[in-house]
Amino acid sequence: MTAADTPDTSAAKTPKPVTAAPSAKTVPLKERLLRTPVALPLMTFLLLLILWEAGTRLFSVPSYILPSPSRILLGFEAVPPGRWVEHIWATLRVALLGYLVSFVVSLPIAVGLAKSRLLSGALYPLLVVIQSVPVVAVAPIIIVVLGTGDAPRVVITFMISFFPLVVSMTTGLAATPPELIELSRSLRAPSLREITQIRLPYATPYIFSGMKISITLAVIGAVVSEFVAAEKGIGYFIQFSTSMFKLPQAWAGLVILVAMSLLLFQVVSQTQRIFFPWSLPKGQK
Amino acid sequence: MALAGNAINFSGVGQTFLTGTGSLTALDGVSVTIAQHEFVAVLGPSGCGKSTLLRLTAGLMKPSTGSVSVFGLPVTQPRDDVGIVFQKPTLLPWANVEDNVVFPARHKLGRVTPEDRAQAQAIIETVGLAGFEKRLPSELSGGMQQRVGIARALFLNPDILLMDEPFSALDALTRDMMGFELLRLWQASPKTVLFITHSIPEAALLADRVLVLSERPGRVIADLPVPTSRPRDETSLGSPEMQDYAAHLRSLLIRKEAA
Ligand SMILES: Nc1ncnc2c1ncn2[C@@H]1O[C@H](COP(=O)(O)OP(=O)(O)O)[C@@H](O)[C@H]1O
Ligand SMILES: [Mg+2]
């Protein structure tokens, strides 16, 4: 491959006479971007921010319609850091408690559903009904019934986040190879050990899929519950700021929520990666 | 024991399953006796009830008709002296080789003693996996995984080994090698083996006796001792009597498949 092969085009398109042999330095930009997983989304995101900033300035969009990124940044200063921490903690606490309750409740239900067809027939439709109830509409009722405090908010969070967990756990528990169940039976092992030593570990990849979906839903649940009744929390803060037309600080709250969701998702992902590496799909270790 | 010498006895065994659309008879009138330390292969077309026969022996199900007994006692539940090797190794993917081998102890008794570990180590060496104790199943080849499956079945030192097409997922070379390994293990530590396969050469090479089952519902249509003495090797199948024997088995199977 010399200039003789493609005399005209190479001269016209590439001013520098580079050799054709690909070295580390001549890897095309596109290839290099595809090889670094964070680079591409980060660039898209930055580009979007720049367009957003430029657009809002160029067309003088009022900040109560769409504040520019720089205005949102100023929105963070509207509230002292101590207050931010209080709001964040309020939301995080409810999200995590609700998530925990979801997990603890889902596990025995999933075991029951996977082990007993009778229970599955009796319980599953009920779960689907609960799942179909628009939790946002029930939230005010729950608040009235359970009063103020964390309890109603945790219940609302639980209702929004538990279903994917039950489904993924049940699927996982049922996915165990039948041979291992026969091995367990042939050893006449206690039934509980079949769950703890075979079915649950086998369900781990499924459980983590459910946990990843649920953790994000738990944050949504916490926010929804704050919309209904709260005097603290990011959801409350966003609603309060919006009602005062302080849109930049509402957006700042939104940014924090997104960051919180991403962070919690990462915590779940990394927990799987570090403690259950064998449960990752092939090629993701 | 009154019936010492007899390991497994099927007497008029039939198995009928209820299915969504009606009932399905998998086995019908199977009467066979297997002597202690005998190596018996079961040949038959897919779906004729071979695995069912094995599950009945393992006490994982009860026959619809007739009875199965092991060492003279009717099988009512799984026994401690029966080990099972499945078609797929079905190891625990999160546990290393050693933990997979001691799993029967952990699962049955809830604990693993140092003696269990030593026992596992000895078996791991016997099946040729020394040095791989800490590997995960995903790091092993198919043949090595099945060795772990065999080691797990041998861990409780069973008198009876039930093997359900244990080498059928392996490539031809590995499969032959595993067959000879199995013979070596069996000769070193004699056991009654019920070996299910649908490979005629495998059955002829490994077994003392071959049972041929018919299409479903499975009945025993032939019960033929293998005409070659032990020890056997790669050349055993080449002798004229073994060629005739294999051809005979083939004709029995093909006749049934054409019918
Ligand atoms: N638990 C069961 N319920 C219903 N049908 C079954 C069950 N187990 C096996 N069968 C049916 O019985 C027949 C024999 O099965 P199996 O013993 O697994 O055959 P093989 O191992 O010879 O291929 C098949 O048609 C199978 O579908
Ligand atoms: Mg089978």
Side-chain angles (χ1 to χ4, degrees):
Chain A
M1 284 269 281
T2 59
D5 294 337
T6 50
D8 289 338
T9 50
S10 70
K13 282 183 183 169
T14 54
K16 278 185 287 178
V18 278
T19 49
S23 71
K25 284 200 172 171
T26 58
V27 174
L29 182 65
K30 188 181 150 194
E31 277 303 308
R32 264 186 286 160
L33 280 176
L34 285 173
R35 278 182 209 169
T36 37
V38 282
L40 221 49
L42 203 67
M43 278 174 59
T44 322
F45 183 66
L46 282 178
L47 191 71
L48 213 68
L49 277 184
I50 291 167
L51 284 177
W52 182 353
E53 184 76 38
T56 45
R57 283 177 188 236
L58 201 63
F59 302 108
S60 319
V61 182
S63 73
Y64 60 85
I65 292 182
L66 181 65
S68 66
S70 55
R71 289 279 289 125
I72 293 172
L73 214 57
L74 288 176
F76 282 100
E77 290 174 9
V79 182
R83 281 292 284 167
W84 274 125
V85 172
E86 280 178 41
H87 287 311
I88 292 171
W89 173 236
T91 305
L92 191 63
R93 191 182 61 228
V94 170
L96 289 179
L97 275 175
Y99 188 58
L100 192 73
V101 172
S102 291
F103 193 90
V104 170
V105 171
S106 300
L107 200 57
I109 291 181
V111 169
L113 290 179
K115 286 279 285 183
S116 153
R117 278 175 51 202
L118 195 72
L119 205 61
S120 165
L123 218 55
Y124 200 75
L126 202 71
L127 291 177
V128 175
V129 169
I130 295 179
Q131 163 67 8
S132 312
V133 171
V135 177
V136 183
V138 188
I141 303 174
I142 295 175
I143 301 266
V144 169
V145 172
L146 293 177
T148 50
D150 278 352
R153 291 196 275 277
V154 169
V155 168
I156 292 165
T157 305
F158 157 76
M159 285 182 72
I160 288 186
S161 65
F162 89 104
F163 197 69
L165 273 176
V166 171
V167 172
S168 62
M169 282 178 187
T170 312
T171 311
L173 290 171
T176 314
E179 289 92 343
L180 280 177
I181 303 303
E182 290 197 327
L183 177 70
S184 174
R185 285 185 50 215
S186 78
L187 292 167
R188 282 178 292 133
S191 182
L192 183 66
R193 241 177 252 154
E194 177 201 300
I195 302 279
T196 56
Q197 295 187 346
I198 299 178
R199 283 189 191 263
L200 266 183
Y202 245 101
T204 305
Y206 297 83
I207 295 177
F208 269 102
S209 310
M211 283 172 69
K212 285 179 194 165
I213 300 171
S214 274
I215 191 71
T216 321
L217 290 176
V219 175
I220 295 176
V223 169
V224 164
S225 72
E226 288 167 6
F227 281 177
V228 180
E231 57 289 334
K232 234 178 250 159
I234 301 290
Y236 158 81
F237 176 79
I238 290 175
Q239 203 185 34
F240 164 82
S241 303
T242 320
S243 69
M244 307 296 266
F245 283 95
K246 292 179 175 171
L247 266 289
Q249 67 183 48
W251 276 83
L254 188 64
V255 169
I256 287 181
L257 275 183
V258 172
M260 190 189 286
S261 282
L262 286 177
L263 188 80
L264 290 173
F265 183 88
Q266 277 306 314
V267 168
V268 176
S269 284
Q270 294 305 321
T271 304
Q272 180 178 19
R273 198 170 291 272
I274 293 165
F275 296 106
F276 306 92
W278 51 265
S279 73
L280 292 165
K282 284 212 161 52
Q284 244 180 273
K285 295 173 190 178
Chain B
M1 237 174 279
L3 286 172
N6 276 352
I8 309 170
N9 182 264
F10 301 98
S11 160
V13 170
Q15 185 68 49
T16 302
F17 294 109
L18 289 177
T19 62
T21 50
S23 69
L24 181 153
T25 302
L27 287 172
D28 188 26
V30 173
S31 294
V32 174
T33 298
I34 296 171
Q36 193 168 10
H37 299 171
E38 197 173 16
F39 194 131
V40 174
V42 180
L43 265 178
S46 319
C48 72
K50 302 185 295 295
S51 298
T52 303
L53 201 63
L54 194 139
R55 287 200 187 92
L56 288 167
T57 315
L60 292 168
M61 51 167 78
K62 289 196 176 74
S64 314
T65 58
S67 72
V68 181
S69 44
V70 167
F71 294 123
L73 296 171
V75 176
T76 52
Q77 60 168 353
R79 301 168 55 107
D80 289 347
D81 51 3
V82 174
I84 310 176
V85 180
F86 302 98
Q87 180 170 5
K88 286 178 284 169
T90 43
L91 307 174
L92 307 173
W94 56 88
N96 64 29
V97 168
E98 184 185 331
D99 288 337
N100 265 292
V101 174
V102 297
F103 182 70
R106 166 167 294 129
H107 198 55
K108 189 176 174 59
L109 309 167
R111 66 193 142 77
V112 176
T113 62
E115 293 78 54
D116 290 333
R117 297 261 167 215
Q119 159 86 345
Q121 183 59 39
I123 294 173
I124 287 170
E125 277 163 25
T126 319
V127 300
L129 284 174
F132 292 93
E133 292 83 355
K134 302 297 173 197
R135 300 289 187 91
L136 290 178
S138 60
E139 298 168 330
L140 304 179
S141 69
M144 288 163 89
Q145 289 184 22
Q146 194 56 293
R147 284 166 196 254
V148 181
I150 293 172
R152 178 178 66 191
L154 293 177
F155 178 75
L156 292 176
N157 195 21
D159 294 316
I160 295 175
L161 194 57
L162 305 175
M163 307 183 87
D164 194 353
E165 307 189 27
F167 306 143
S168 63
L170 305 177
D171 63 83
L173 270 179
T174 314
R175 180 179 190 147
D176 288 350
M177 221 172 63
M178 294 288 285
F180 290 116
E181 289 270 315
L182 178 63
L183 282 186
R184 185 178 57 78
L185 288 175
W186 175 72
Q187 261 142 5
S189 161
K191 295 183 189 310
T192 309
V193 181
L194 189 59
F195 186 97
I196 287 165
T197 177
H198 50 228
S199 159
I200 291 168
E202 193 174 58
L205 203 54
L206 301 182
D208 295 318
R209 221 169 114 202
V210 178
L211 304 178
V212 183
L213 295 191
S214 66
E215 289 269 320
R216 199 175 63 226
R219 299 169 215 264
V220 179
I221 52 170
D223 181 348
L224 303 164
V226 178
T228 303
S229 61
R230 300 183 188 274
R232 300 184 189 145
D233 59 24
E234 292 81 352
T235 60
S236 303
L237 282 176
S239 72
E241 52 180 352
M242 279 296 261
Q243 300 246 317
D244 287 350
Y245 182 71
H248 183 46
L249 291 177
R250 193 166 296 116
S251 72
L252 286 168
L253 280 171
I254 287 172
R255 177 149 54 83
K256 279 297 139 189
E257 264 168 35

